[in-house]
Structures are given as structure tokens and as C-alpha cells.
Amino acid sequence: MRSVVLDTETTGMPVTDGHRIIEIGCVELEGRRLTGRHYHVYLNPDREIDEGAIAVHGITNEFVADKPRFKEIADEFYEFIHGAQLIIHNAAFDVGFINNEFALLGQSERAEVSDYCGILDTLLMARERHPGQRNNLDALCKRYGVDNSGRDLHGALLDAEILADVYLTMTGGQTHLSLAGDGGDGSGRQMPSPIIRLDANRAPTRIIRASEAELAAHAARLAVIEKSAGAPSLWAQLEAPKES
């Protein structure tokens, strides 16, 4: 399944007061793997950005003055998200703003994102899994060991990348394998190991195959186990040819 982790920044809230989108950030997942494709744009909203919003994301009126308007990027943005499952933290907020932007252009066929995209709200998911706890993105990063040290201010693309890591960890079952123990939080609970994003262009992992001597020693050991157990080992059963 193709998924797009999405976040937006806006001039303020709520959308019903005429606030607009000023940044969109998206990262693509295929089969629970980051593809390296992303979509990112800053937008001129044709209105002032609230001081409170600037304090959150740091995007100023001067910065967006020469940026494109939503109508200029509407087609490419639509093509990037069309048919994907959108993964959004507090989806009602972002989806409401996206619907509004398409509606302002008179594009009624695009003005309801849920008609052409699936929507998964990680805030609702987190509330179900951790009732009564803080479930904002920073709290989830701490809970799941996701590095958000570069997040001094909100930013749509950075937040989408962080949310992708949180989502994959939150939905991936076991989040760490601790053989020696990697510490706890003071309550005796084992804490998840931090996620480290590997370079997609890194050299492939070296594969070391067993030597003939090692294979012979392995077969001899299995023979001892089978004799002791009085039955074929699981290895032998898996390697035996299946009857047609």
C-alpha cells in the first residue's frame, strides 16, 4: 500500500476564520518503507500570519511573500496524494485546511480529500493505545524513542518525517531487541532503543556464508539432536522436499 505522511503549517486557526495553509510537507511510504520521495512547498496565503502561529512555526509574512499560491501547486499536490493513505497527526485539522484550499479554487471534485484518499489519524490511534496520557508528537517521540532533537520549531516536512518514524514504530509490534538491557525510565520498564535512520545510499550489508566445514559441523550436530529426540529436527523437516 502507498501511504503519504502529511503535515501542514497555517496562518493560524480555525480555518473558518479565513486562515490558510503556508507550508505542506509529505513523505512517501511503500510497504512500510520510506521511498525517499517527498513533497514540500511554502505558500503565499494572501493574508497576514498570526503572531501566535509565527511563534509556533517561525514562518514570517516576509518569508512567504514571494512564494507560490496554492492555485499554482494544486495540481502537483493533488497528483502526489491521490489514491494514497494519508497518515496525519490530528487529521481533522490538516484535512479541513486542504479541503478549504481546493474549495476556494472552485474545485469541488477535490474539496473532500476523503473521496480520493484514505485517512489515518495517528492522534486517535495514540489515544486508543495510551488513554489518559499526553499524545502530541513530542510525547510520542519520547515514548517510542524517536529522535526529534532538531525540532525546535514546528515545520511541515520535518514533522512529517518524524511522524513517519513514530507511525512505523507504533504499528510495528516489537520496537527493540535488548539482549544486555539498555536501561529503563526508573520504573523498571525497558525503554525502546532510539531509531537511527540509515543512509539509503549506504554500501550493501556483507553476506558471510557458512563454509563447507561449518555446514558439515551443523549436519553432525543435527544428527546428534535427532538421535536424542527420536525424531527429525525442525531443520530437517523444513529442508525435506515436499510431496507433490
Side-chain angles (χ1 to χ4, degrees):
M1 176 184 291
R2 178 176 179 266
S3 299
V4 171
V5 186
L6 180 148
D7 188 57
T8 64
E9 300 297 343
T10 69
T11 60
M13 58 183 297
V15 67
T16 51
D17 285 354
H19 285 290
R20 304 285 300 276
I21 294 175
I22 54 175
E23 184 186 9
I24 301 172
C26 303
V27 294
E28 184 183 62
L29 298 173
E30 284 273 11
R32 294 182 55 81
R33 295 176 66 91
L34 290 162
T35 66
R37 290 187 68 218
H38 70 276
Y39 181 83
H40 183 226
V41 65
Y42 291 102
L43 298 169
N44 183 337
D46 286 318
R47 62 155 292 156
E48 293 293 303
I49 304 171
D50 283 1
E51 289 297 326
I54 295 174
V56 171
H57 50 57
I59 302 172
T60 64
N61 293 293
E62 294 75 21
F63 178 77
V64 299
D66 62 347
K67 301 301 184 285
R69 290 165 173 80
F70 186 83
K71 64 181 180 181
E72 299 172 55
I73 60 91
D75 289 345
E76 63 184 28
F77 173 58
Y78 173 79
E79 290 301 323
F80 191 87
I81 67 172
H82 183 264
Q85 178 191 54
L86 300 184
I87 300 171
I88 309 172
H89 202 67
N90 192 16
F93 177 87
D94 301 86
V95 170
F97 271 90
I98 295 169
N99 288 346
N100 179 64
E101 293 291 345
F102 282 120
L104 290 174
L105 296 180
Q107 298 182 3
S108 57
E109 72 282 1
R110 298 179 178 179
E112 186 55 63
V113 171
S114 60
D115 287 344
Y116 50 89
C117 294
I119 298 173
L120 188 153
D121 190 336
T122 51
L123 177 59
L124 297 181
M125 179 185 294
R127 285 174 175 170
E128 291 177 358
R129 296 182 179 217
H130 311 288
Q133 300 184 51
R134 294 177 65 244
N135 288 302
N136 60 33
L137 191 54
D138 286 333
L140 292 178
C141 286
K142 183 176 180 180
R143 187 172 300 142
Y144 288 103
V146 173
D147 181 15
N148 66 338
S149 56
R151 192 178 187 252
D152 296 327
L153 292 171
H154 288 252
L157 183 59
L158 175 61
D159 283 2
E161 291 174 340
I162 291 172
L163 181 58
D165 285 340
V166 168
Y167 167 75
L168 292 172
T169 307
M170 187 163 56
T171 60
Q174 182 176 350
T175 60
H176 73 299
L177 177 62
S178 177
L179 301 179
D182 38 6
D185 61 357
S187 65
R189 290 187 302 140
Q190 205 67 7
M191 298 299 290
S193 302
I195 290 177
I196 299 175
R197 182 82 59 81
L198 298 178
D199 186 349
N201 297 318
R202 67 190 185 278
T205 302
R206 183 185 175 195
I207 299 174
I208 302 176
R209 303 190 183 279
S211 66
E212 291 296 327
E214 289 169 331
L215 290 173
H218 175 67
R221 182 58 181 167
L222 289 182
V224 172
I225 293 173
E226 290 177 1
K227 183 175 181 180
S228 175
S233 67
L234 179 60
W235 280 93
Q237 295 177 45
L238 291 173
E239 293 177 352
K242 295 181 180 180
E243 296 181 1
S244 57

